[in-house]
């Protein structure tokens, strides 16, 4: 089950964070997203040691923490997408597909002429589209 998705700007400023759990977990999930930025920076700055090619946007599993797994994705404009899930047996292909759809929603949101680049995404349409994408990804029957 997806518990949190986030869009983080190229200067590590949060552009959009949405959690899909109880309010108690929101702060914890924000902290997990914030901590994942160090792992993203490490992977981007040291590509030889940590796997993905320089032109690869999918960063894969960033790290497991407690009962969550954190995945990352980096756009060409250095905007980071973070996914936090409680499923421990997620297939990379499913996560890649999620990020592909999430990226398409993001591109549509920032292509809006009223959106100011680098500012938080406040579009209700984007939030609804993200919720739809999250609901469509059960990843696995467990969870």
């Amino acid at each position: 089950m997806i518990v949190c998705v986030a869009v983080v700007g190229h200067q590590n400023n949060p552009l959009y964070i949405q959690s899909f759990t109880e309010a108690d977990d929101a702060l914890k999930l924000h902290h997990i997203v914030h901590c994942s930025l160090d792992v993203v920076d490490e992977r981007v700055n040291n590509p030889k040691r940590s796997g993905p090619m320089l032109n690869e946007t999918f960063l894969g599993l960033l790290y497991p923490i407690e009962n969550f797994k954190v995945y990352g994705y980096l756009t060409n404009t250095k905007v980071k997408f973070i996914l936090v899930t409680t499923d421990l047996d997620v297939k990379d292909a499913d996560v890649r597909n999620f990020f592909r759809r999430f990226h398409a929603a993001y591109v549509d949101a920032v292509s809006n002429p009223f959106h100011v680049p680098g500012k938080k995404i406040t579009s209700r349409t984007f939030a609804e589209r993200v919720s739809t994408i999250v609901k469509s990804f059960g990843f696995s029957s467990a969870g």
Side-chain angles (χ1 to χ4, degrees), residues 11-75:
Q11 296 176 326
N12 289 341
N13 53 321
L15 301 178
Y16 180 83
I17 296 179
Q18 177 65 47
S19 56
F20 300 94
T21 61
E22 298 85 40
D24 318 3
D25 289 345
L27 187 61
K28 180 179 186 179
L29 293 170
H30 284 232
H31 179 71
I32 289 171
V33 167
H34 183 72
C35 291
S36 68
L37 298 178
D38 291 336
V39 180
V40 170
D41 287 343
E42 183 179 324
R43 295 240 177 129
V44 170
N45 295 330
N46 303 315
K48 290 180 183 162
R49 285 193 299 176
S50 50
M53 307 290 199
L54 283 175
N55 61 356
E56 177 67 68
T57 56
F58 177 64
L59 299 173
L61 177 66
L62 298 178
Y63 65 96
I65 181 171
E66 295 174 18
N67 53 347
F68 301 111
K69 278 193 169 183
V70 183
Y71 291 87
Y73 182 94
L74 184 69
T75 69

Side-chain angles (χ1 to χ4, degrees), residues 10 14 19 37 47 51 58 68 71 79 82 88 92 116 118 126 128-129 132 138:
H10 68 280
S19 56
L37 298 178
F58 177 64
F68 301 111
Y71 291 87
V79 172
I82 307 295
L88 301 180
D92 271 1
V116 179
F126 178 70
E128 290 167 2
R129 195 161 163 196
T132 302

Side-chain angles (χ1 to χ4, degrees), residues 69-88:
K69 278 193 169 183
V70 183
Y71 291 87
Y73 182 94
L74 184 69
T75 69
N76 293 335
T77 57
K78 304 295 183 225
V79 172
K80 301 155 199 80
F81 298 157
I82 307 295
L83 167 70
V84 182
T85 179
T86 55
D87 286 342
L88 301 180

